[in-house]
Amino acid sequence: MKIIFHWLLIAFSASIFSSQPFCMENNKPTPAAEEMSRTPFIAEERQTVAGKFAIKNIENGMLQVLYSLADLDEIILIDHKVEILESVKFGKNSEVLSIRTNTGENGAPPSFYLLFLKKKQRWILRPLDLDNSFFDQECVALRDFEVLPKLSKDGKRLEVMIPLREDHEVLDAHFFYELDGNLRELKKPNIPAGRIPETVNFSELNGLPPVAILHYPPVKEVLCDTVFIRPLYKKLKNLWATSLKLQDGEIECFASGSQLENRNRLIVIVTQGGGFFIAIPEGSGLEIISDYSNRQEIIQSFAQNNEVDWFMEAFNDPYSVCRVNGKKFFCSKLLE
């Protein structure tokens, strides 16, 4: 009898101390276990002078949220990607974080923010806007979102330095913030000698590189507020094209170039009134940006022009895609 009781005690003990939770039946998790499985994954936690802040994944990792652990219901930032870049402390009671949302992977440019923190006070979020009109040179020149802002102390103020690179030039902009989040001073970048002036008149375009058309006010006014401007600026800067030429009352640049990475392949036409036609290779097709009402006729004329054979080639492949002012078409459709 004692032997039977001893074996029953062993079996009961094994059920308690088994690796399987005692409360699980038929391998079904408890409500608490189900809730844990739905809890968003914490991507990062950061201890600050104002307490802990965290970034968590939601929507199966499609979005990230920045919030304070002191207030789980209030969202500070939400985007496809949220990333704390840098932190600067001012004594024991103040701290500033630089934050980037998006990384450009989904096609949207990243945005930068400053999060001002003080012990026992509510946080303050400020966008670090690189698109403001304080850049005197031109609306597009220096916005390189791949360059990260750098934080440092300037006495009791925060200094944010943005190294704005263009070719081999470094044009630093310096933002100075009080610790209450207010921008107090901005030191604009100096303009090195030899750069294209902020604005160029029509006759001055002659002999300049193709990117100079974005400094011509009638073209600049049309393009500056569009989604085309940043990628177009970079493409024109990187193209090893011939100079612009004033011919028959128009500024023109027709470059055949080499097949290597489509370098030097470019068509630019600009009229004194500001009408423009720009064509650049894109894959096996073309990127065309134009405000000409008769751009269809221009496209058809260049599609039959042996001097720019790379333009013609885009229309020989029935599956080549041309993007005209952001809208995609099969190139062959543009000839119909």
Side-chain angles (χ1 to χ4, degrees), residues 150 169 213 239 302 324:
K150 298 178 182 179
E169 300 169 358
I213 64 171
L239 283 171
F302 277 113
V324 182

Side-chain angles (χ1 to χ4, degrees), residues 109-159:
S111 298
F112 296 98
Y113 298 87
L114 298 173
L115 187 64
F116 292 84
L117 306 172
K118 287 189 178 182
K119 184 176 278 189
K120 297 182 180 180
Q121 292 188 28
R122 176 180 164 77
W123 48 265
I124 298 173
L125 185 70
R126 292 284 186 261
L128 186 57
D129 191 353
L130 302 188
D131 294 343
N132 285 343
S133 59
F134 48 65
F135 291 124
D136 288 338
Q137 296 78 4
E138 61 271 350
C139 66
V140 299
L142 307 172
R143 298 179 305 191
D144 186 351
F145 293 103
E146 297 173 3
V147 176
L148 302 180
K150 298 178 182 179
L151 308 187
S152 61
K153 297 179 183 179
D154 180 63
K156 294 183 178 180
R157 300 189 305 178
L158 172 74
E159 179 178 358

Side-chain angles (χ1 to χ4, degrees), residues 283-285 311-322 329-333:
S284 62
F311 193 97
M312 295 177 58
E313 290 169 3
F315 296 90
N316 293 332
D317 183 350
Y319 298 106
S320 288
V321 174
C322 288
F329 307 89
F330 285 118
C331 295
S332 57
K333 291 290 184 181

Side-chain angles (χ1 to χ4, degrees), residues 18-215:
S18 168
S19 60
Q20 292 288 337
F22 180 69
C23 60
M24 291 182 67
E25 297 178 2
N26 300 323
N27 294 324
K28 292 182 179 180
T30 63
E34 287 183 338
E35 183 63 28
M36 286 295 290
S37 69
R38 291 197 298 268
T39 301
F41 172 72
I42 302 298
E44 181 180 356
E45 280 191 4
R46 180 69 65 100
Q47 181 66 50
T48 73
V49 298
K52 275 190 176 181
F53 289 76
I55 298 171
K56 67 181 179 182
N57 295 324
I58 61 174
E59 297 294 327
N60 295 321
M62 297 297 291
L63 293 172
Q64 289 191 323
V65 175
L66 173 66
Y67 64 101
S68 168
L69 293 184
D71 187 351
L72 302 180
D73 294 326
E74 185 173 9
I75 294 173
I76 301 174
L77 281 171
I78 181 170
D79 215 318
H80 295 287
K81 177 74 174 176
V82 180
E83 182 180 10
I84 298 175
L85 300 174
E86 195 176 0
S87 168
V88 173
K89 289 185 178 180
F90 292 80
K92 296 181 179 180
N93 297 321
S94 297
E95 185 174 356
V96 183
L97 304 180
S98 63
I99 301 168
R100 175 172 63 179
T101 61
N102 275 328
T103 57
E105 296 176 359
N106 60 350
S111 298
F112 296 98
Y113 298 87
L114 298 173
L115 187 64
F116 292 84
L117 306 172
K118 287 189 178 182
K119 184 176 278 189
K120 297 182 180 180
Q121 292 188 28
R122 176 180 164 77
W123 48 265
I124 298 173
L125 185 70
R126 292 284 186 261
L128 186 57
D129 191 353
L130 302 188
D131 294 343
N132 285 343
S133 59
F134 48 65
F135 291 124
D136 288 338
Q137 296 78 4
E138 61 271 350
C139 66
V140 299
L142 307 172
R143 298 179 305 191
D144 186 351
F145 293 103
E146 297 173 3
V147 176
L148 302 180
K150 298 178 182 179
L151 308 187
S152 61
K153 297 179 183 179
D154 180 63
K156 294 183 178 180
R157 300 189 305 178
L158 172 74
E159 179 178 358
V160 183
M161 190 271 285
I162 304 178
L164 304 167
R165 308 191 191 285
E166 185 177 6
D167 291 341
H168 300 293
E169 300 169 358
V170 179
L171 311 176
D172 296 340
H174 296 260
F175 301 74
F176 295 89
Y177 287 86
E178 302 292 348
L179 297 184
D180 59 4
N182 289 321
L183 178 63
R184 294 303 184 192
E185 184 183 359
L186 171 69
K187 292 183 180 179
K188 302 175 184 180
N190 295 322
I191 308 300
R195 287 190 70 239
I196 300 171
E198 177 187 353
T199 58
V200 180
N201 65 39
F202 189 72
S203 61
E204 288 173 339
L205 288 172
N206 187 49
L208 290 178
V211 73
I213 64 171
L214 301 181
H215 297 245

Side-chain angles (χ1 to χ4, degrees), residues 3-31:
I3 295 174
I4 294 174
F5 177 78
H6 179 70
W7 281 107
L8 288 174
L9 181 61
I10 292 174
F12 180 72
S13 300
S15 68
I16 294 178
F17 299 108
S18 168
S19 60
Q20 292 288 337
F22 180 69
C23 60
M24 291 182 67
E25 297 178 2
N26 300 323
N27 294 324
K28 292 182 179 180
T30 63

Side-chain angles (χ1 to χ4, degrees), residues 222-223 228 232 269 274-279 287-296 298-299 323-326:
V222 172
L223 288 178
F228 308 117
L232 178 60
I269 303 174
F276 60 89
F277 180 91
I278 304 166
E287 167 85 8
I288 297 173
I289 302 172
S290 174
D291 71 339
Y292 274 124
S293 58
N294 64 333
R295 62 174 173 266
Q296 190 79 5
I298 298 175
I299 291 171
R323 186 163 56 181
V324 182
N325 292 345

